[in-house]
Amino acid sequence: MTDQPRVELSDGAAIPQLGLGVWQTPNDEAASVVGAALKTGYRHIDTAAAYQNEKGVGEGLLASGLARDEVFITTKVWNDHQGYDSALRAIEASLKRLQLEQIDLCLIHWPAPNRGLYLDTWRALIKAQEMGQVRSIGVSNFEVEHLDRIISETGVTPVLNQIELHPRFQQTALRTAHAERGIKTESWSPLGQGQLLSDPAIAALAAKHGRTAAQVIIRWHLDSGLIVIPKSVTPSRIAENFDVFGFKLDAEDLAAIAALHQADGRIGPNPTTATF
Ligand code: NAD
């Protein structure tokens, strides 16, 4: 494995702290994008059934020639496949599309409380783990009430929760709740979908460190102990986003970024009220 930071999960597995996100990466580009990332040194890819590119991701992984245990693959069960039996079928379909015998980490994509099925879906993930189809199980977009319900009903705590998290929406309360429960935090839309790259405070830090805005923001996630999955389909940006291990932010930099939080800084849907 390349020398890069990993985060140990509560089930003993270790996830590379920096991965490549592939949301909105077309399936027919996914193999070459994943190939470029693996060549750069990435060892962690974040996909989902809903991204409709698991096939391309699997092809990119195979073509890389890397040993299976060198690369960490996350996928997710989509809302339409929630429920015990449908989630188990969805995991089998993901395995097939990815051409894998085991998924490293499988997440419930959204709690979708309007559907009332996330507890049954969690039981399916537990079963898939028992059957060896998935190595680790976690969730995405869960709020504290959703986390506590699945934990108290099953006794199984998700290893991580993948949530919207960037300098403009820092999720301090949920991160504290995670830490109290032994759940790691993974940041989605870590660059604010690119919107944060033109922020003047970030630009000032980039100038101070002789780095790009994207590198400063990714470094903030790493220095905050978060697992981070920036997305790009452009090989030069994929490389730029991985070239973040040679510098660190100081206390003053972290304070400047802490000040960027906004109560209404969320870009994506609110997990509690979203109905999809
Ligand atoms: P992001 O914050 O990673 O921003 C990506 C955008 O920033 C790119 O499309 C590009 O326009 C720009 N960008 C990236 N690197 C750049 C660089 N070096 N220079 C200039 N511009 C650059 O946004 P995202 O894709 O929404 O989030 C990352 C990943 O998180 C996704 O691909 C997906 O894997 C995951 N995600 C998960 C959920 C969920 O519900 N679990 C939701 C959204 C995203």
Side-chain angles (χ1 to χ4, degrees):
M1 287 256 181
T2 48
D3 188 21
Q4 56 184 284
R6 291 168 168 272
V7 171
E8 192 172 329
L9 304 175
S10 58
D11 64 2
I15 183 170
Q17 197 179 358
L18 173 57
L20 178 79
V22 297
W23 179 39
Q24 293 176 323
T25 301
N27 187 56
D28 59 2
E29 284 177 43
S32 67
V33 167
V34 166
L38 295 175
K39 211 166 168 195
T40 300
Y42 287 76
R43 290 295 179 265
H44 167 190
I45 310 291
D46 183 83
T47 184
Y51 304 167
Q52 297 183 32
N53 57 19
E54 288 172 309
K55 197 163 178 292
V57 168
E59 286 163 3
L61 175 60
L62 266 184
S64 74
L66 288 165
R68 174 66 190 92
D69 64 358
E70 284 201 69
V71 185
F72 192 102
I73 305 283
T74 300
T75 195
K76 316 185 188 86
V77 173
W78 183 240
N79 302 354
D80 288 346
H81 300 133
Q82 286 216 21
Y84 188 81
D85 292 332
S86 6
L88 283 172
R89 279 197 299 274
I91 291 167
E92 279 193 15
S94 285
L95 280 167
K96 218 174 243 173
R97 284 190 294 267
L98 287 161
Q99 300 186 61
L100 296 180
E101 284 178 13
Q102 188 181 55
I103 293 159
D104 295 287
L105 173 63
C106 184
L107 309 178
I108 303 178
H109 207 143
W110 289 86
N114 56 307
R115 293 178 185 252
L117 290 170
Y118 66 82
L119 176 58
D120 288 344
T121 309
W122 184 239
R123 293 193 202 281
L125 265 62
I126 294 169
K127 178 69 179 170
Q129 184 178 46
E130 282 167 11
M131 293 190 297
Q133 293 179 322
V134 305
R135 168 69 176 89
S136 296
I137 55 176
V139 294
S140 179
N141 298 304
F142 274 44
E143 299 288 349
V144 175
E145 60 177 306
H146 312 128
L147 292 170
D148 283 345
R149 179 151 179 245
I150 59 170
I151 296 168
S152 66
E153 292 284 340
T154 68
V156 181
T157 301
V159 292
L160 63 73
N161 189 12
Q162 183 184 116
I163 55 174
E164 178 177 346
L165 203 165
H166 43 75
R168 220 167 265 162
F169 196 63
Q170 300 186 16
Q171 299 264 28
T172 323
L174 193 46
R175 282 157 67 185
T176 301
H178 289 168
E180 287 165 357
R181 291 160 180 76
I183 299 170
K184 299 297 180 191
T185 306
E186 182 169 37
S187 308
W188 67 250
S189 293
L191 307 173
Q193 295 179 11
Q195 293 172 27
L196 281 164
L197 298 174
S198 50
D199 185 281
I202 300 288
L205 293 176
K208 171 177 165 182
H209 288 278
R211 294 286 181 158
T212 67
Q215 289 172 329
V216 165
I217 298 172
I218 293 165
R219 193 63 240 176
W220 173 78
H221 289 273
L222 297 173
D223 286 339
S224 306
L226 302 161
I227 301 155
V228 59
I229 46 172
K231 179 248 180 179
S232 177
V233 291
T234 311
S236 59
R237 287 176 172 176
I238 289 173
E240 173 188 328
N241 294 351
F242 196 73
D243 181 17
V244 290
F245 299 115
F247 77 111
K248 259 185 179 293
L249 301 175
D250 61 29
E252 198 184 318
D253 305 335
L254 295 175
I257 297 182
L260 299 180
H261 177 77
Q262 296 175 3
D264 62 353
R266 194 196 285 283
I267 299 170
N270 179 325
T272 303
T273 53
T275 51
F276 53 74

